[in-house]
Amino acid sequence: MNTWRRWVELLGRQEAATSLAITRILVGLAVAGHLTHMLGTGAWRLVWTRPEDGGLRDLDPGWLAWIGGNTAPNILALTIVTALACLGFALGAFTRPMLVIAWIGFRTLADLNNHSGGSYDELLKNEIFILLLSGCGRALSIDALRGKGGPVPAWARYVLLAQLVIMYQATGLQKISAGWVPGGNLDALWYIFQQPTWQRWEMYWLAPYFPVTQLATLGTWIFEVGSPVLFLFLFYRDTRTRPGRLRAFCNRVDARALFLLWGFLMHIGIEVSMEVGMFSFGSLALYSCFFHPDELAAFARRLRGAR
């Protein structure tokens, strides 16, 4: 019963919505930017419409069959509405209705063509769905300015950060090969940087620096496989008054922040050098969930004091 009470207490915690609000803003801007890019390049027509409207292959239109299928006008309208809904919940205007529209719209578009997109689509769909249930519009939003602010349940933040850690470790475990793991050639990133499929721009200049790419390969794999250690750092942070040298050390140097800095630099490197869709943006959007809203408020006060 003590364990059950602690579990109920954990899930029943209330906190300010700041951490979730930052994630809400970043996710909304990321998906809106992605859809705007699809509209600007014309990729929406190739990827999501039927062949007679310029699409590359026949698709199952799903519920769109009720309104005529994945015709060009339907897909164009759905893409625009979804992008506007994402901007709406990023601003925090009628946040929950905007999240509902964005989730349905983006889920429909992302699931139309299983030969396009990537796992980042699943990541972003999950993020929008959890945000829909979280009360994330109660801070840093137009809704909050209209008097709809207040605390939120902490469980939504826990679920989002758990999703990111699970995704990282699953990604690392799928890389159990000589190209990634210690003791192997560690040549995975070297090959990736030389493949036009992945290159954001020509990377042939990097070819002679094989040891550098080996270190980057090893660092990426260790970060991904070791990401569950973040749960330990968060537990130490939450129980900082308890005794223990390791707990005291991890809190003194803020091992959580150092680990996330490593991840931030990794994602920036990926985004600068490789074409991986919205993966980095979808991942970094969740980093604010690793920080309690009180910590973010204290950081903001320090910034104001420095100014």
Side-chain angles (χ1 to χ4, degrees):
M1 291 303 296
N2 288 333
T3 301
W4 178 254
R5 278 195 292 269
R6 287 196 294 269
W7 182 248
V8 171
E9 179 187 356
L10 176 67
L11 296 183
R13 289 182 180 179
Q14 297 276 313
E15 62 185 28
T18 314
S19 302
L20 289 171
I22 294 172
T23 293
R24 183 201 79 230
I25 293 168
L26 295 177
V27 170
L29 293 177
V31 179
H34 174 56
L35 295 178
T36 301
H37 180 69
M38 295 288 286
L39 290 169
T41 60
W44 65 275
R45 184 184 295 273
L46 294 171
V47 173
W48 291 327
T49 66
R50 57 188 186 177
E52 50 266 46
D53 286 327
L56 294 175
R57 58 190 290 260
D58 286 317
L59 305 172
D60 180 0
W63 67 266
L64 290 174
W66 302 343
I67 57 173
N70 55 320
T71 63
N74 282 347
I75 294 299
L76 180 60
L78 182 60
T79 305
I80 293 173
V81 168
T82 303
L84 291 175
C86 290
L87 288 176
F89 78 70
L91 292 170
F94 304 101
T95 307
R96 183 157 290 170
M98 291 296 103
L99 282 162
V100 171
I101 295 170
W103 181 69
I104 294 173
F106 186 62
R107 183 177 183 274
T108 301
L109 293 170
D111 289 349
L112 275 174
N113 191 340
N114 58 9
H115 288 187
S116 69
S119 57
Y120 54 83
D121 289 324
E122 311 303 322
L123 176 67
L124 288 164
K125 284 189 291 184
N126 289 348
E127 290 173 2
I128 294 173
F129 182 73
I130 299 302
L131 290 172
L132 164 63
L133 304 174
S134 70
C136 60
R138 297 176 189 172
L140 305 180
S141 66
I142 294 174
D143 288 344
L145 293 176
R146 293 169 53 232
K148 296 185 178 181
V152 297
W155 67 261
R157 183 168 65 89
Y158 302 157
V159 171
L160 286 171
L161 63 88
Q163 173 175 300
L164 185 63
V165 169
I166 292 170
M167 183 204 72
Y168 275 148
Q169 190 179 47
T171 303
L173 292 177
Q174 293 176 52
K175 295 172 180 173
I176 303 296
S177 71
W180 285 99
V181 302
N185 296 326
L186 297 176
D187 54 5
L189 284 181
W190 189 91
Y191 281 110
I192 289 171
F193 286 140
Q194 305 311 314
Q195 289 181 3
T197 305
W198 296 102
Q199 292 173 342
R200 186 171 291 279
W201 27 62
E202 189 176 290
M203 299 286 290
Y204 300 126
W205 61 270
L206 190 59
Y209 302 102
F210 181 57
V212 175
T213 59
Q214 282 183 302
L215 287 174
T217 300
L218 179 62
T220 300
W221 188 79
I222 290 175
F223 173 84
E224 291 176 339
V225 174
S227 59
V229 76
L230 280 165
F231 290 138
L232 178 64
F233 295 154
L234 290 171
F235 175 70
Y236 282 165
R237 198 81 180 169
D238 194 52
T239 58
R240 68 186 72 185
T241 57
R242 296 183 186 179
R245 293 182 179 179
L246 182 58
R247 176 183 282 104
F249 174 78
C250 289
N251 284 321
R252 185 167 62 251
V253 301
D254 199 350
R256 167 205 53 176
L258 292 177
F259 199 90
L260 292 175
L261 176 61
W262 185 358
F264 175 80
L265 295 175
M266 178 189 74
H267 280 295
I268 294 300
I270 290 172
E271 190 60 29
V272 168
S273 61
M274 297 162 57
E275 178 56 68
V276 292
M278 299 304 295
F279 170 65
S280 290
F281 293 105
S283 300
L284 291 175
L286 297 180
Y287 273 36
S288 66
C289 290
F290 286 96
F291 297 90
H292 192 278
D294 291 346
E295 293 180 290
L296 297 178
F299 179 70
R301 286 194 296 270
R302 287 197 298 270
L303 285 181
R304 287 195 294 268
R307 292 179 60 186

